[in-house]
Amino acid sequence: MGRRKRSLPVQQEKNEDLEAKHARIEESDGWTGVNEHSFIAVKPDGVHRRLVGEIIQRFEKKGFRLVGMKLVQASEDLLREHYRDLRDKPFFNGLVRNMSSGPIVAMVWQGLDVVKMSRKMLGETNPADSLPGTIRGDYCLEVGRNVIHGSDSVESAQREISLWFRQNELQCWEDSSGHWIYE
C-alpha cells in the first residue's frame, strides 16, 4: 500500500512534465523538427481490405511515433471540408461518397520530416505511378481505391489534424527508442 502512495506522485510528476512539454511545443508556433506531425488516414477500402495493421507497422518501423488514432465514420460535411481544395475537380463528389462509405482510421504521426517522408511511403496518388515498396505501389490498382491519405504539407497537416482531432485526443509521450532513431 505504501509503495503505491510513493509512486503516484512520481507518475503525476511525469504527467505534468509531459503536459508542460506539450504546451511548450504548442506555443512554438506549430510542430517542427522531430515534433512535426502529419495526418494519415486509412480510407474505407484499406479498412475493408484489413490493411490497417500493415500500414501502422510501416510507420512504426520507420521510426515515427503514433500520437493520435481513431476509427470513425466520417460525415460528408467533414469530408467536404477536408478535401475543400479539390471541390472544383470532376471527381470530388465521388471522392466524398467513397470516403463516407465506410470506416476510416484517422491517425496523427510525429517525427522528423514526417510529412515529406509519409508522402514517399504512400507513393503516388495514382497507384500505376507508385513504386513497389510504397503502400500504394504494393496494395493498389486504381486511383479511386488508393487505400490511404496523407497530408501534403505541414500547413495541410495542421489544418487536417484540427478537423479530425481535438487537442486532448493527441498524446504527448516519451519514446524510449528515440535515441536509436535520432542523432
Side-chain angles (χ1 to χ4, degrees):
M1 191 69 112
R3 188 178 235 176
R4 271 188 160 167
K5 288 181 182 177
R6 280 191 296 260
S7 66
L8 183 61
V10 171
Q11 185 60 44
Q12 188 175 12
E13 186 176 303
K14 286 182 181 179
N15 288 343
E16 289 171 359
D17 288 345
L18 285 175
E19 288 173 15
K21 180 180 178 184
H22 191 70
R24 281 194 307 276
I25 292 168
E26 283 180 4
E27 291 170 6
S28 70
D29 194 27
W31 303 90
T32 59
V34 297
N35 293 314
E36 185 177 293
H37 285 65
S38 188
F39 177 75
I40 301 293
V42 181
K43 297 177 179 182
D45 51 312
V47 174
H48 282 282
R49 292 180 55 202
R50 295 173 175 82
L51 296 174
V52 175
E54 169 68 27
I55 289 168
I56 290 171
Q57 187 176 47
R58 287 182 183 217
F59 281 85
E60 287 181 328
K61 284 183 175 182
K62 186 69 175 176
F64 296 128
R65 183 184 317 175
L66 182 63
V67 297
M69 181 170 77
K70 57 184 166 180
L71 181 69
V72 297
Q73 181 73 44
S75 69
E76 287 193 8
D77 288 341
L78 172 61
L79 294 165
R80 288 182 189 287
E81 181 60 26
H82 176 87
Y83 287 113
R84 70 180 185 199
D85 295 343
L86 302 174
R87 68 181 165 264
D88 295 330
K89 302 288 184 185
F91 58 82
F92 179 75
N93 289 328
L95 173 63
V96 170
R97 220 176 10 262
N98 176 55
M99 290 291 289
S100 63
S101 69
I104 294 169
V105 176
M107 298 177 281
V108 178
W109 290 91
Q110 177 182 335
L112 183 64
D113 291 326
V114 67
V115 172
K116 178 181 175 181
M117 295 301 295
S118 295
R119 296 294 294 185
K120 288 183 179 189
M121 291 169 63
L122 270 56
E124 299 298 320
T125 302
N126 183 346
D129 298 330
S130 294
L131 296 173
T134 64
I135 292 168
R136 291 176 178 148
D138 288 349
Y139 299 115
C140 306
L141 295 173
E142 294 190 60
V143 174
R145 299 291 183 269
N146 65 8
V147 306
I148 194 164
H149 166 85
S151 300
D152 62 5
S153 69
V154 172
E155 296 75 26
S156 292
Q158 290 170 342
R159 185 182 72 79
E160 292 170 354
I161 291 167
S162 70
L163 283 172
W164 292 83
F165 288 88
R166 291 186 308 268
Q167 190 60 44
N168 67 349
E169 293 177 306
L170 300 178
Q171 305 302 311
C172 186
W173 58 281
E174 293 296 324
D175 185 351
S176 61
S177 66
H179 71 280
W180 297 109
I181 298 169
Y182 300 109
E183 293 185 74

